[in-house]
Amino acid sequence: MQDNQSASGMASQLDSVSPDLPKTVTSMPLFDSRPVLWKNIAALMLKKYGRENLNQLAREAKFGPATASRIKAQDTSVGIEVIDRVATVLGVHPWQLLHEDFNPEFPSNSANLSPLALDLAQQLEAIPDQAAREKAHALATQVLSLAAASIAAPPSPEAPPTQQPG
């Protein structure tokens, strides 16, 4: 997190540029994305390369190794084009590199899951015993399959009314 002097300096700069901004916008503490960016890049490098490999990342992303080192050191800002290149190399969307709760084990799924799906996943992960977790998963999968089948099934046709002879 940046220190208060930096935040207050940025707030006064914002005030001078746009005095019409609400005070709540200019008085909010600044968020430092650099640690989040590095955490996500490091996790994705481990997944892709089996270890941290700044030189390989720099080669594939077509920027210098010094840029990769600055990202790791978190001592300078990087441009959006660098984030775009890193995301492309690591197979994710650029915004995912800046998301605190990004899960590198499921990079494409984490963006597409609904809050209900995430809730079910968290409940499964909260079960400490692996065998019990697998049983709960199997049971939940069956219940969800049955629910989906009953929704997708066409309504059964009603028997036409019979006429009484008469």
Side-chain angles (χ1 to χ4, degrees), residues 34 37 41 63 67 70-71 76-87 94 97-98:
R34 293 173 294 187
L37 177 65
I41 289 173
F63 53 70
T67 299
R70 284 193 301 274
I71 293 170
T76 188
S77 298
V78 294
I80 195 71
E81 65 279 348
V82 171
I83 293 173
D84 288 343
R85 289 178 181 191
V86 170
L97 294 175
L98 298 170

Side-chain angles (χ1 to χ4, degrees), residues 1 9 27-28 30 42 44 47 59 62-63 66 70 77 79 87 106 111-113 121 125-126 133-135 140 146 149:
M1 202 53 115
S27 64
M28 289 176 48
L30 294 177
L44 288 164
K47 186 175 179 190
R59 252 190 321 278
K62 295 182 177 27
F63 53 70
R70 284 193 301 274
S77 298
F106 307 103
N112 300 324
L113 294 178
E125 290 300 316
R133 186 170 40 246
E134 289 174 6
K135 287 179 184 176
L146 289 172

Side-chain angles (χ1 to χ4, degrees), residues 58-127:
R59 252 190 321 278
E60 291 181 24
K62 295 182 177 27
F63 53 70
T67 299
S69 294
R70 284 193 301 274
I71 293 170
K72 179 180 179 180
Q74 304 165 34
D75 63 358
T76 188
S77 298
V78 294
I80 195 71
E81 65 279 348
V82 171
I83 293 173
D84 288 343
R85 289 178 181 191
V86 170
T88 299
V89 166
L90 297 175
V92 296
H93 295 282
W95 68 266
Q96 290 174 302
L97 294 175
L98 298 170
H99 197 284
E100 285 182 293
D101 298 325
F102 174 67
N103 184 348
E105 293 302 313
F106 307 103
S108 61
N109 292 339
S110 58
N112 300 324
L113 294 178
S114 71
L116 291 174
L118 289 171
D119 180 58
L120 287 174
Q122 289 172 341
Q123 289 184 44
L124 283 171
E125 290 300 316
I127 301 171

